[in-house]
Amino acid sequence: MRTSFLQDLYLQRPVTFTVLICILSVLPWIAMGDFSTKGEPREAAVAISMLESGNFILPTSYADEFAYKPPMAHWLMALCSLPQGYVSEFTSRLPSALAFIVLIGFILAFFGKRVNKFQEAFIATCLLITCAEIHRAAMTTRVDMLLTMFMVVGLIQLYRWEEFQELKGLPITIPLLLGCAVLTKGPVGIILPLFVFGVYLLILNKYRFFTIVKALFYIGLSSLFLPMLWYIAAWRQGGEEFLNVVIAENFGRFFHLETPLIDYKLGHENGVWYNFMTLMVGFIPWTFLFIFSLFALKIHKPNSSLKAIWKKAWTRIRSMEKVRLFSLVALVCILFFYSIPSSKRSVYLMPAYPFIALFLAQYMIYLAEYKTKVVRFFAVFMFTVVSIATLALGLTMAGLIHPVSLVEPYSQEAHVLYTVETITGMITSPNLLTISIFILLFASVCTLGYQMFRKIYIKILYAIFALMFCVNLLIDGVIMLGERRSKTTRFFAEQIKKDYPLGKDNVFVMNHPLEYKNLYSLNFYLGDIFHNFEEVQPQEGFFLSGDKDLEKVIKKYEDLYTFTPLTSTEREVQEDVRQIVVLSRFIRKP
């Protein structure tokens, strides 16, 4: 019996097959959609500055502001942008997308060779490809996916070093990967992998304590070589101001320190509960499967003491397969490590996702084999939700329902209604891509329904993976495209460049985040031409700010300058600004 092409590819070349899925899930979509948050254009503007100034050590962007993070991601953005000669949304997001593809390939190869059932490794990668947090990070101009790739692949190489060489010698790939992790986001790129690997070696109980300490010391020292070259060069260029940012970003966040020497808030302060909540959100939609499975569990009152229970659990942990023990140590250590700092964000936990996914994959196979009602209930849930969404999409496309009128009773926010209106416009006037995505989504719903009828539960799980893949296509190719279009400042930037003589030397903003809102998206679309009004104190020029911030600036400088508003955005800019952006002309009073 002949197998299908996809089945043959999965059986014969699973890594190639998985990489192709990754490529289809991210690469076609990263060029679609303007920047609509402050984080993406802030990072992309650094790459613009690198290419235009030739300063690849500590370039400044947005009114003489140097980057808060080390430059590895910005170097790669600039490198990806070289062939076309300018930084775009696609080239700035490309490093994250490529890091995602490399990460998934390494994870499948690593787990696939070491777990008893290859299917577990494949399902683990499917979880990562379709879960909300990893997919989102793979599509954005940020450093987090790149950091995750360097750290996780670095951990894999550390595991292989112990597995094949028993800590003898030191493969050059380890300090290279960890050094790149430091150059992506700072010392955490070395500290966290060494913490995980050190705990793993201690639990393994195979080496003397001195041998472990010596191995960790050599890894740490060799991994610091490349980053220290940059840190020294950046310190010589940025001086005390650079050191203040380094201390605040790397130590102020972690040790809950006051940081009066920097002019912005570190932010993201949350309790320990936040990490577990974000993990649940990050693994959506698969979180629902595991919530449903809790109702199928039978809880028995333990007959043993807590000490006996702990001893039994510890014995089971020590007897685990090495790769599962390593994965358990990694996920526990990463969660513990990021429970310490006051600053907590969902993306910090991404290095734990591959190791969590391995255990979730094992649990999913168990459910498919022994708790089939849970899988069936989850399949019905997903089938129902996506079917309703598909039907609503089709009715909207046909003009039979109007989402704006449905949203109005629940929200009168102008920006919300405009976003819904923009997305609706894309659906009611569909292009070939939108129609193709709709057909794929409809086909995936039908496939899931067919597999539910056949009751082969492992195939039902794969059908749900395919369904989620198509849902992500809908989100990336239609929903997010419309959402970004409703919030972009690109059109305003193009308008004012056409109507007014804006140049590289005459556009000014306030750069004091504690007091004023920074316009990072507008800065990107104007080509990173902003200058710091407070520092330069120019004679005349153009001034950009939010309308509320402009009132504060006029009041502060009313004795020195005259400000004349020229034009403004039609609605509030959302990227944490939440103000109407105004372009003014100013002139210094005699």
Side-chain angles (χ1 to χ4, degrees):
M1 180 176 163
R2 295 183 61 186
T3 59
S4 68
F5 171 73
L6 289 178
Q7 188 176 356
D8 183 65
L9 186 61
Y10 163 70
L11 292 172
Q12 301 299 325
R13 297 177 180 173
V15 175
T16 302
F17 176 67
T18 305
V19 167
L20 286 174
I21 294 174
C22 292
I23 290 172
L24 290 174
S25 70
V26 294
L27 283 188
W29 320 106
I30 57 175
M32 300 175 64
D34 299 333
F35 293 139
S36 58
T37 63
K38 71 174 185 178
E40 286 194 280
R42 183 178 64 191
E43 305 296 345
V46 179
I48 293 177
S49 179
M50 284 181 172
L51 291 178
E52 293 190 350
S53 68
N55 183 348
F56 288 85
I57 301 298
L58 198 65
T60 58
S61 66
Y62 196 90
D64 304 321
E65 172 184 280
F66 59 77
Y68 301 150
K69 302 176 184 71
M72 175 59 73
H74 311 118
W75 286 343
L76 294 176
M77 292 177 204
L79 181 64
C80 292
S81 303
L82 276 177
Q84 67 183 24
Y86 63 94
V87 179
S88 64
E89 293 90 350
F90 175 79
T91 59
S92 65
R93 291 168 180 156
L94 188 57
S96 291
L98 294 178
F100 164 73
I101 294 168
V102 170
L103 173 68
I104 297 300
F106 265 91
I107 289 296
L108 181 60
F110 176 66
F111 286 148
K113 292 179 180 179
R114 289 167 178 82
V115 294
N116 291 331
K117 293 182 179 180
F118 177 81
Q119 197 172 47
E120 288 182 24
F122 183 71
I123 289 178
T125 58
C126 289
L127 281 167
L128 295 174
I129 292 170
T130 55
C131 77
E133 188 67 62
I134 298 295
H135 181 76
R136 180 178 68 90
M139 305 279 291
T140 55
T141 306
R142 302 298 293 266
V143 305
D144 304 291
M145 180 53 71
L146 197 65
L147 175 69
T148 298
M149 186 272 291
F150 283 132
M151 290 178 65
V152 172
V153 177
L155 282 168
I156 289 173
Q157 294 305 103
L158 286 168
Y159 178 93
R160 296 180 74 250
W161 180 41
E162 188 284 324
E163 181 183 36
F164 295 121
Q165 297 176 245
E166 296 185 330
L167 307 185
K168 296 174 183 176
L170 183 60
I172 192 171
T173 54
I174 294 174
L176 185 62
L177 286 164
L178 299 188
C180 287
V182 176
L183 283 172
T184 302
K185 204 171 182 178
V188 68
I190 288 178
I191 296 171
L192 184 52
L194 292 189
F195 173 53
V196 171
F197 190 55
V199 173
Y200 169 69
L201 292 178
L202 289 172
I203 295 176
L204 204 59
N205 200 27
K206 182 178 176 181
Y207 304 96
R208 293 182 302 167
F209 182 75
F210 176 75
T211 303
I212 295 173
V213 172
K214 185 173 70 172
L216 297 179
F217 175 76
Y218 284 143
I219 297 167
L221 188 63
S222 59
S223 300
L224 282 172
F225 177 74
L226 285 177
M228 287 308 297
L229 294 177
W230 175 77
Y231 273 104
I232 292 171
W235 168 66
R236 292 180 65 181
Q237 184 175 323
E240 185 178 351
E241 186 181 359
F242 168 73
L243 287 180
N244 291 337
V245 171
V246 169
I247 292 170
E249 288 286 332
N250 295 286
F251 301 103
R253 287 187 187 275
F254 197 85
F255 294 109
H256 310 245
L257 301 177
E258 295 292 330
T259 53
L261 297 178
I262 61 172
D263 60 355
Y264 61 94
K265 293 181 180 179
L266 293 176
H268 315 305
E269 294 188 4
N270 292 286
V272 175
W273 59 270
Y274 179 83
N275 284 344
F276 298 97
M277 184 188 72
T278 55
L279 277 177
M280 293 182 66
V281 174
F283 270 105
I284 285 176
W286 309 108
T287 305
F288 295 113
L289 173 61
F290 303 108
I291 291 174
F292 295 157
S293 72
L294 296 178
F295 295 96
L297 295 179
K298 294 181 179 179
I299 302 175
H300 301 283
K301 184 178 180 181
N303 297 321
S304 306
S305 64
L306 287 176
K307 183 178 180 180
I309 294 172
W310 168 248
K311 187 176 180 180
K312 184 178 179 181
W314 180 248
T315 302
R316 291 186 64 180
I317 290 171
R318 292 288 302 275
S319 62
M320 294 173 74
E321 293 177 85
K322 284 184 66 176
V323 69
R324 295 189 193 280
L325 176 62
F326 181 73
S327 299
L328 180 63
V329 170
L331 72 90
V332 170
C333 287
I334 292 169
L335 290 176
F336 171 77
F337 182 87
Y338 282 118
S339 295
I340 299 172
S342 58
S343 178
K344 295 178 179 66
R345 294 185 64 210
S346 60
V347 291
Y348 294 170
L349 301 178
M350 280 175 25
Y353 274 65
F355 305 107
I356 296 173
L358 178 64
F359 292 102
L360 295 184
Q362 183 182 10
Y363 186 54
M364 289 176 72
I365 292 175
Y366 165 78
L367 293 176
E369 292 177 352
Y370 301 105
K371 301 290 183 180
T372 56
K373 288 184 179 179
V374 174
V375 176
R376 188 166 184 81
F377 186 81
F378 178 63
V380 170
F381 170 76
M382 293 298 298
F383 180 84
T384 303
V385 171
V386 180
S387 294
I388 292 172
T390 305
L391 178 62
L393 180 65
L395 293 175
T396 302
M397 197 177 294
L400 297 178
I401 62 174
H402 305 282
V404 176
S405 61
L406 297 177
V407 173
E408 279 180 331
Y410 303 98
S411 176
Q412 293 298 318
E413 293 284 342
H415 67 90
V416 172
L417 297 176
Y418 181 67
T419 299
V420 174
E421 182 182 349
T422 305
I423 296 172
T424 302
M426 296 190 63
I427 297 172
T428 53
S429 302
N431 54 23
L432 180 60
L433 176 63
T434 303
I435 295 172
S436 300
I437 292 173
F438 177 77
I439 293 172
L440 284 173
L441 184 63
F442 180 74
S444 68
V445 171
C446 294
T447 301
L448 177 57
Y450 172 71
Q451 293 299 340
M452 288 165 60
F453 177 76
R454 294 186 64 193
K455 297 183 180 180
I456 302 175
Y457 290 95
I458 194 66
K459 288 190 176 182
I460 290 176
L461 286 179
Y462 283 131
I464 300 174
F465 281 123
L467 180 69
M468 277 310 304
F469 179 84
C470 293
V471 168
N472 284 339
L473 295 187
L474 174 67
I475 292 171
D476 298 329
V478 181
I479 306 300
M480 287 303 299
L481 183 60
E483 192 266 350
R484 287 168 171 165
R485 185 173 294 176
S486 71
K487 296 179 180 179
T488 183
T489 60
R490 176 170 61 87
F491 303 118
F492 182 66
E494 291 172 351
Q495 175 202 327
I496 59 178
K497 279 195 294 186
K498 178 182 177 181
D499 295 343
Y500 302 96
L502 307 184
K504 289 186 176 294
D505 301 317
N506 65 351
V507 182
F508 296 86
V509 293
M510 305 298 283
N511 188 12
H512 197 298
L514 291 175
E515 189 172 352
Y516 307 100
K517 299 293 186 180
N518 281 0
L519 309 173
Y520 289 108
S521 177
L522 196 57
N523 175 60
F524 174 83
Y525 287 113
L526 286 173
D528 191 33
I529 61 174
F530 290 175
H531 298 278
N532 193 321
F533 181 84
E534 289 184 302
E535 288 188 4
V536 178
Q537 294 283 298
Q539 291 295 319
E540 60 179 347
F542 295 96
F543 185 80
L544 280 161
S545 72
D547 56 344
K548 298 181 181 65
D549 289 343
L550 181 60
E551 293 176 4
K552 293 191 289 185
V553 171
I554 291 175
K555 185 175 181 180
K556 182 176 180 179
Y557 290 96
E558 60 185 350
D559 296 332
L560 296 176
Y561 289 93
T562 299
F563 289 85
T564 305
L566 301 174
T567 188
S568 65
T569 56
E570 294 181 2
R571 57 189 59 84
E572 290 183 354
V573 171
Q574 293 305 304
E575 49 161 287
D576 290 344
V577 178
R578 302 298 173 95
Q579 298 180 42
I580 292 173
V581 176
V582 181
L583 173 68
S584 304
R585 189 189 297 273
F586 68 88
I587 187 168
R588 196 178 185 96
K589 294 181 179 179

